[in-house]
Amino acid sequence: MSYFDTARQKQQALAKAGHAVILSIETSCDETAAAVVRDGREVLSNVVYTQIPLHRRFGGVVPELASRNHVDQIGVVVEQALSDAGRSLDSIDAIAVTCGPGLVGALLVGVSFAKGLALSHELPLVGTNHILGHIAANYLTFPDLEPPFTCLIASGGHSHIVRVAEYDRCELLGKTRDDAAGEAFDKVARVLGLPYPGGPELEKLAASGDPKAICFHSAFNEGDGFDMSFSGLKTAVINTLHTAEQKGEPVNRADVAASFQYAVNTILSDKAVRAANGTLALAGGVSANRNLRGMLQRKADRKGIRFCCPDFRYCTDNAAMIGSAGFYLLMRGHISDLDLNATPYLPIC
Ligand code: KG4
Ligand code: ZN
C-alpha cells in the first residue's frame, strides 16, 4: 500500500475515534518550535527555541539566517518536545506542520522534516495554516470555545478580522490595506531606537507615557468598513520625530509610544468589537499586548460580548497552536501527501 493510502486509513480510524495525539512543528519565521498536543486541547509539551538574539543585531529577521538556524535546531527541538511529553514517535498518531504563510526557506525546513517523520513512521501528515494556528491558541486557553465566533488576528505579518465559521473555515470580514499591526509596532519601535522585536519593547516604553499626549489621526480607519490601515500612523510618528529633531525640540519618547499604541489599539478594538456578536477572540503576536487586551475586554463588556484571548505563552509563534489547529483538520479529513509544499502567501480564507 502507498504511504498515502496507509495514512488515509489511519486518519479515518482516528476521526472515527475522535482522538489523536499530534506532534506539531512550526518554523514559519524566527521561532523553531515543536509540541505534543492531545485531542486539540491538551498540551503535553511545548518547546520554543527563539532566534531573536540572532536577528536583533540586524534590526529584523534575516530570512537566510532564519532558515539555516532552523536546520540546526529542529532535530533537538522535536526530540525535546517528545521527551517532555514522555512519548516516542511510536505513540504519536499524526504530524502537523505549518506550511504557510511565512518565509519560504524557514517553512521548508519544518515541512521537509515533518514529511521525513511522517513517511518513516507511516503517520498522517497535516499541512496547517499558521493563521489558523494563531486562532487555535484560543482553544488551548478556553476549553469550551467552539466556532462560530469572530476573531481579530494581529501579528507581524497579518491584521485580519474574520468570522471563524468552522474549525477549518473562516470568512474574511476585513484586513489591513498596508502594514500589519505588529509590523507597524516594529517599525515605529525602530525609529524610537528600540531593539527588535519592537512590539513588546514599545509596550514597555508606552507604560510610562501619556496616550493622549499626541493625536495620531488616521482618516482611513474612520469609515464603517472593517478594513484597516496602519502605514499612515507610522508615517505620522516618523514626521513628529523628524519635525522635533529639525526644530531642536525635545521629544518625550514614552508619550510618542503611548500615543501610537493607543491609536493602533483603538482602531483594532473598535473594528473588531463592531464586527462581533456573541464571542470575540484575539489572536497573533500582538495579542500579547496588555493594553490591547484591556481595551478589547472593556469594549466587549460594554456590548455584552464574550471576549477570549490566548494565554501569554500561546500568543507569539509556538507549535502547540499548530497541534490544536492540526487536530481539527485531521478530524475533518484534511491530510497532505508527500508533495506538501511551503506556500509563503497561503491565504486563510
Ligand atoms: O504572531 P507572531 O509571533 O509572528 C507572526 O506570525 O508574525 O507576531 C509577532 C509580532 C511582532 O510584530 C511583534 O512585535 C508583535 O507580534 N508583538 C507585540 C507584542 N508582542 C509581540 N506587539 C505589541 N505588543 C506586544 N506585547
Ligand atoms: Zn505568527
Side-chain angles (χ1 to χ4, degrees):
M1 216 192 310
S2 72
Y3 156 76
F4 191 73
D5 289 342
T6 310
R8 174 59 75 198
Q9 270 189 1
K10 290 189 177 178
Q11 178 273 322
Q12 284 168 345
L14 292 165
K16 200 169 167 203
H19 294 290
V21 175
I22 294 190
L23 169 67
S24 50
I25 296 174
E26 153 64 43
T27 62
S28 67
C29 191
D30 58 349
E31 262 90 30
T32 317
V36 178
V37 179
R38 195 198 325 255
D39 298 344
R41 300 275 174 167
E42 189 189 349
V43 181
L44 304 183
S45 68
N46 184 33
V47 179
V48 181
Y49 169 82
T50 182
Q51 302 180 356
I52 286 174
L54 182 72
H55 299 287
R56 187 160 264 177
R57 66 196 156 112
F58 302 104
V61 178
V62 182
E64 180 62 22
L65 276 184
S67 317
R68 286 165 190 245
N69 208 241
H70 284 310
V71 173
D72 284 346
Q73 299 301 328
I74 187 141
V76 182
V77 167
V78 167
E79 263 179 37
Q80 188 66 52
L82 286 168
S83 135
D84 287 358
R87 290 189 174 246
S88 71
L89 275 166
D90 296 333
S91 54
I92 292 293
D93 297 318
I95 313 268
V97 63
T98 306
C99 60
L103 301 170
V104 69
L107 287 165
L108 274 172
V109 177
V111 167
S112 311
F113 198 88
K115 280 200 238 180
L117 291 181
L119 177 63
S120 59
H121 289 74
E122 297 195 301
L123 294 173
L125 175 68
V126 187
T128 303
N129 186 304
H130 181 76
I131 303 300
L132 217 50
H134 273 302
I135 296 170
N138 285 285
Y139 305 141
L140 299 174
T141 309
F142 299 91
D144 64 324
L145 178 65
E146 289 183 347
F149 57 89
T150 306
C151 188
L152 167 64
I153 302 140
S155 73
H158 296 84
S159 292
H160 286 353
I161 299 173
V162 299
R163 182 87 187 139
V164 183
E166 292 172 45
Y167 283 106
D168 57 352
R169 191 168 63 81
C170 296
E171 292 152 11
L172 184 67
L173 301 177
K175 65 175 173 19
T176 180
R177 296 278 184 97
D178 38 59
D179 289 354
E183 184 182 2
F185 268 105
D186 291 342
K187 287 177 177 170
V188 166
R190 198 171 172 162
V191 291
L192 286 169
L194 299 168
Y196 174 83
E201 299 289 336
L202 190 140
E203 183 181 17
K204 271 186 237 160
L205 179 62
S208 57
D210 173 7
K212 302 280 171 65
I214 309 161
C215 176
F216 290 123
H217 180 74
S218 165
F220 177 89
N221 295 294
E222 282 169 4
D224 286 342
F226 295 122
D227 276 1
M228 303 159 260
S229 163
F230 298 108
S231 80
L233 288 177
K234 172 192 70 189
T235 308
V237 174
I238 293 170
N239 288 344
T240 302
L241 294 171
H242 281 175
T243 307
E245 195 184 323
Q246 277 165 359
K247 289 184 181 166
E249 289 170 356
V251 185
N252 184 324
R253 287 164 64 255
D255 281 352
V256 173
S259 301
F260 171 75
Q261 176 177 259
Y262 176 79
V264 171
N265 290 351
T266 301
I267 295 164
L268 290 171
S269 55
D270 280 350
K271 291 198 185 266
V273 172
R274 191 154 47 77
N277 48 52
T279 300
L280 172 65
L282 174 63
V286 184
S287 66
N289 187 281
R290 286 183 166 79
N291 179 266
L292 176 61
R293 292 161 83 104
M295 249 189 213
L296 280 162
Q297 183 73 64
R298 284 192 297 279
K299 291 177 187 177
D301 284 349
R302 250 179 260 144
K303 202 178 155 185
I305 287 171
R306 179 187 184 197
F307 173 62
C308 299
C309 56
D311 191 287
F312 282 105
R313 71 203 132 136
Y314 305 132
C315 286
T316 47
D317 290 350
N318 66 87
M321 67 185 198
I322 302 302
S324 175
F327 171 79
Y328 292 105
L329 293 175
L330 180 75
M331 291 295 119
R332 281 159 181 73
H334 302 290
I335 56 168
S336 313
D337 206 342
L338 296 173
D339 59 358
L340 176 68
N341 206 350
T343 309
Y345 295 103
L346 187 66
I348 185 194
C349 314

